[in-house]
């Protein structure tokens, strides 16, 4: 199979070719690897090889709905037996998995051919992908810009055509942010629909869900159909979809009431983000939906503080666990990681519990909104994809962060208002995505907009618990109206 031919198929199309014996799984894998060799040096998406893929395609017993389709795992919470899961950290380079994660096993059972792992920021803690361990990933649409994070390597790999789909996960926007940056479809599912574990059963207080990044809606629907699984050890269990996602996207959803807003209390959104939402609202209205501008059903700044309070506590626990299990020293972690871990440690149980109490208020307000509106439409990003290095911490501040961590100076950092500063600096360009993680609701980013500079900029649709299929139905409508998959980056 030639690479130019390989690029014309999504995952569903490749699976059909393999099933019809028009091409072998080995030939498809060879095309994927050839594409990777050509483009990965420029985007730094793949950071580890999984040679077991060659044995997999040589096995005549390869089966499943996506048998023979090349696939990449994210190098975080998607463990592959016998290989390290570094989570983008020097502290975890020797953390070799003793067994597959549930997600990995489901992917293998679906017939996906896993041949590598993708780049992620340290511990998945940022909306950009610039770990010191592997260096930055870059956006195929313009390599001066970020592919987002924390599933940035996966997003860049799919956008560049290395694979038609890749593994991702989302604890604060980490599927939807790369989808928006790279012109992809990114569904963050209802909490508990795809199992986490067995290595981590309650990642970041239930914020994190497993998933995929794809170019087409039918791939997203089909892959989630294949990957949704019931695991008795899972901390969260969502009911399986009443109708298969692949069947749902073949049927229009009927007339929906959709509220839209681009307002954020953290930052004024870029005109491109406002245009993206307004254009999507017009398209949805033309598709027959009732669409109207609304007030945001939450305060982004309040939500951001609650999110980061819980996230930082989780970061403190992850650093402590790495030190306990692997004997990692402070020098093995990035300065930013140590700073947020110290903020989490110093916050104490009262601040953490209050943030959890506030989660109930966020759920209540969102539920009240959904009593009137089926979906909430917002930008996915408040700004176009940032330039690589734009959020880099200056060396002097990195040194200060290490000293404050060593001296347990978290209370000093909190007293200076650092939490609000971090909300503004790190969530200011992505203030719309954390709501779904705090509340457990599903949300999808679809790439309906291109900036004047040619960069993708997605819009986000959020729904009620269990409305994953409805979100995919509307995404399929938008894909027909704005056929994004026919566009490719040239780099």
């Amino acid at each position: 199979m030639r690479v130019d031919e390989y690029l014309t198929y999504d995952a569903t199309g490749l699976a059909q070719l393999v099933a019809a014996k028009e091409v072998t799984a080995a030939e498809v894998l060879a095309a994927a690897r050839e594409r990777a060799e050509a483009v990965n040096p420029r985007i730094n998406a793949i950071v580890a090889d999984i040679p077991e893929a060659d044995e997999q395609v040589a096995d005549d017993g390869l089966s499943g709905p996506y048998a023979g389709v090349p696939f990449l795992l994210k190098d975080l919470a998607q463990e592959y037996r016998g290989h390290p899961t570094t989570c983008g950290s020097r502290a975890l380079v020797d953390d070799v998995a003793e067994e597959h994660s549930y997600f990995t096993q489901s992917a293998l059972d679906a017939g996906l051919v896993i041949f590598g792992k993708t780049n992620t920021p340290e511990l998945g803690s940022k909306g950009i992908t610039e770990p010191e361990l592997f260096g930055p990933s870059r956006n195929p649409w313009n390599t001066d810009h970020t592919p987002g994070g924390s599933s940035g390597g996966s997003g860049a790999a799919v956008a560049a055509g290395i694979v038609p789909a890749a593994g991702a996960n989302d604890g604060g926007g980490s599927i939807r942010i790369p989808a928006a940056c790279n012109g992809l479809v990114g569904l963050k599912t209802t909490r508990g629909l795809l199992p986490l574990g067995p290595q981590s059963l309650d990642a970041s207080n239930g914020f994190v869900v497993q998933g995929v990044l794809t170019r087409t809606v039918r791939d997203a629907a089909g892959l989630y159909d294949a990957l949704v699984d019931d695991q008795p050890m899972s901390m969260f269990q969502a009911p399986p979809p009443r109708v298969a996602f692949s069947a749902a996207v073949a049927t229009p959803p009927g007339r929906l009431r959709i509220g839209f807003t681009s307002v954020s209390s953290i930052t004024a959104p870029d005109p491109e983000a406002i245009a993206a939402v307004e254009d999507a609202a017009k398209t949805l209205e033309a598709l027959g939906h009732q669409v109207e501008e609304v007030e945001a059903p939450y305060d982004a700044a309040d939500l951001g503080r609650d999110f980061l309070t819980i996230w930082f506590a989780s970061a403190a626990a992850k650093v402590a666990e790495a030190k306990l299990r692997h004997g990692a020293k402070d020098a093995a972690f990035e300065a930013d990681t140590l700073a947020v871990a110290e903020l989490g440690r110093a916050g104490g149980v009262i601040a953490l519990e209050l943030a959890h109490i506030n989660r109930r208020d966020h759920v209540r307000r969102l539920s009240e909104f959904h009593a009137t509106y089926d979906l909430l439409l917002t930008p996915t990003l408040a700004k176009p994809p940032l330039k690589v290095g734009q959020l880099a911490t200056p060396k002097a501040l990195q040194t200060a962060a290490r000293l404050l961590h060593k001296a347990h100076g978290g209370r000093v950092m909190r007293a200076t208002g650092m939490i609000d500063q971090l909300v503004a600096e790190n969530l200011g360009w992505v203030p719309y995505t954390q709501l779904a993680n705090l509340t457990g609701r599903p949300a999808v980013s679809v790439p309906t907009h291109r900036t004047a500079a040619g960069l993708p900029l997605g819009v986000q649709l959020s729904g009620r618990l269990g409305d994953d299929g409805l979100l995919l139905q509307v995404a399929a409508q938008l894909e027909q109206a704005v056929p994004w998959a026919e566009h490719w980056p040239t780099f």
Side-chain angles (χ1 to χ4, degrees):
M1 174 177 247
R2 300 189 317 273
V3 171
D4 60 341
E5 182 184 8
Y6 171 74
L7 293 173
T8 64
Y9 291 95
D10 64 359
T12 304
L14 287 172
Q16 291 169 348
L17 285 179
V18 174
K21 300 189 184 302
E22 295 182 34
V23 66
T24 67
E27 290 169 336
V28 179
L29 177 60
R33 282 193 165 139
E34 184 178 345
R35 180 63 173 173
E37 289 174 5
V39 302
N40 194 60
R42 284 176 279 173
I43 60 175
N44 194 30
I46 303 172
V47 294
D49 182 61
I50 297 180
E52 287 89 337
D54 294 313
E55 301 172 18
Q56 194 179 355
V57 297
D59 182 2
D60 291 335
L62 192 66
S63 63
Y66 286 91
V69 176
F71 193 73
L72 297 166
L73 296 174
K74 180 179 178 179
D75 193 22
L76 187 152
Q78 295 184 350
E79 292 84 359
Y80 195 104
R81 183 176 58 245
H83 292 265
T85 305
T86 73
C87 303
S89 176
R90 290 187 296 265
L92 297 173
V93 292
D94 295 322
D95 188 15
V96 176
E98 296 181 358
E99 58 185 321
H100 294 322
S101 69
Y102 296 143
F103 178 89
T104 300
Q105 189 59 59
S106 293
L108 292 169
D109 291 344
L112 292 165
V113 178
I114 299 169
F115 70 98
K117 303 189 83 174
T118 61
N119 206 359
T120 184
E122 185 168 61
L123 305 184
S125 61
K126 297 180 179 180
I128 56 175
T129 301
E130 301 176 19
E132 292 177 3
L133 176 62
F134 294 119
S137 290
R138 295 179 178 275
N139 193 317
W141 294 90
N142 184 327
T143 54
D144 289 335
H145 292 258
T146 182
S150 63
S151 308
S154 289
V158 176
I162 296 174
V163 285
N169 35 54
D170 191 316
S174 293
I175 289 174
R176 291 158 289 153
I177 295 167
C181 288
N182 293 285
L184 306 174
V185 178
L187 172 66
K188 180 266 175 197
T189 57
T190 293
R191 180 182 295 140
L193 196 59
L194 271 72
L196 284 159
Q199 293 85 353
S200 176
L201 297 174
D202 181 19
S204 301
N205 293 274
F207 284 1
V208 179
V209 300
Q210 298 281 28
V212 294
L213 284 159
T214 66
R215 289 179 57 79
T216 65
V217 174
R218 75 169 184 171
D219 273 0
L223 284 164
Y224 279 110
D225 281 339
L227 294 169
V228 168
D229 192 16
D230 207 15
Q231 290 292 343
M233 287 181 62
S234 294
M235 295 288 289
F236 301 98
Q237 289 280 341
R242 292 186 297 272
V243 178
F245 294 143
S246 295
V249 297
T251 306
R255 191 169 192 254
L256 302 174
R257 191 171 185 187
I258 302 172
F260 76 92
T261 181
S262 57
V263 174
S264 167
S265 60
I266 298 177
T267 187
D270 189 274
E272 291 276 16
I274 297 171
V277 165
E278 291 179 346
D279 289 347
K282 291 175 184 176
T283 301
L284 289 165
E285 193 169 41
L287 289 166
H289 301 296
Q290 181 181 346
V291 184
E292 55 194 83
E293 192 165 8
V294 298
E295 290 186 9
Y298 64 99
D299 183 282
D302 288 345
L303 186 140
R305 281 189 290 271
D306 293 330
F307 173 82
L308 287 184
T309 296
I310 299 169
W311 190 265
F312 290 171
S314 177
K318 290 175 182 176
V319 169
E321 181 186 16
K323 289 181 176 182
L324 180 65
R325 288 180 55 214
H326 304 287
K329 306 299 183 184
D330 284 352
F333 296 97
E334 296 176 16
D336 289 357
T337 299
L338 294 177
V340 299
E342 177 56 23
L343 283 167
R345 186 203 64 80
V349 295
I350 293 177
L352 181 60
E353 183 59 22
L354 287 174
H356 280 299
I357 290 171
N358 291 341
R359 288 175 77 176
R360 301 166 200 161
D361 292 332
H362 297 309
V363 169
R364 176 181 54 79
R365 286 193 290 270
L366 190 57
S367 297
E368 290 171 352
F369 172 84
H370 282 305
T372 302
Y373 296 94
D374 297 295
L375 301 177
L376 172 64
L377 170 67
T378 67
T380 309
L381 313 175
K383 301 176 182 179
L386 304 180
K387 285 198 170 183
V388 171
Q390 190 170 334
L391 294 182
T393 302
K395 292 292 184 183
L397 289 181
Q398 290 186 36
T399 301
R402 290 187 179 278
L403 291 172
L404 284 166
H405 175 81
K406 186 175 182 179
H408 291 309
R411 290 187 178 181
V412 174
M413 289 191 283
R414 295 178 74 90
T416 63
M418 182 171 282
I419 294 283
D420 288 340
Q421 182 182 348
L422 289 169
V423 168
E425 291 180 357
N426 290 282
L427 302 185
W429 77 292
V430 288
Y432 308 103
T433 55
Q434 296 80 38
L435 178 66
N437 302 91
L438 272 167
T439 63
R441 271 58 181 170
V444 66
S445 180
V446 288
T448 55
H449 188 73
R450 289 285 186 280
T451 69
L455 286 167
L457 191 61
V459 296
Q460 177 180 249
L461 289 156
S462 305
R464 303 179 184 95
L465 281 174
D467 270 353
D468 308 71
L470 179 64
L471 291 173
L472 288 171
Q473 283 181 297
V474 178
Q477 285 189 308
L478 288 168
E479 184 179 39
Q480 285 189 321
V482 188
W484 53 74
E486 64 187 33
H487 299 290
W488 283 91
T490 54
F491 69 108

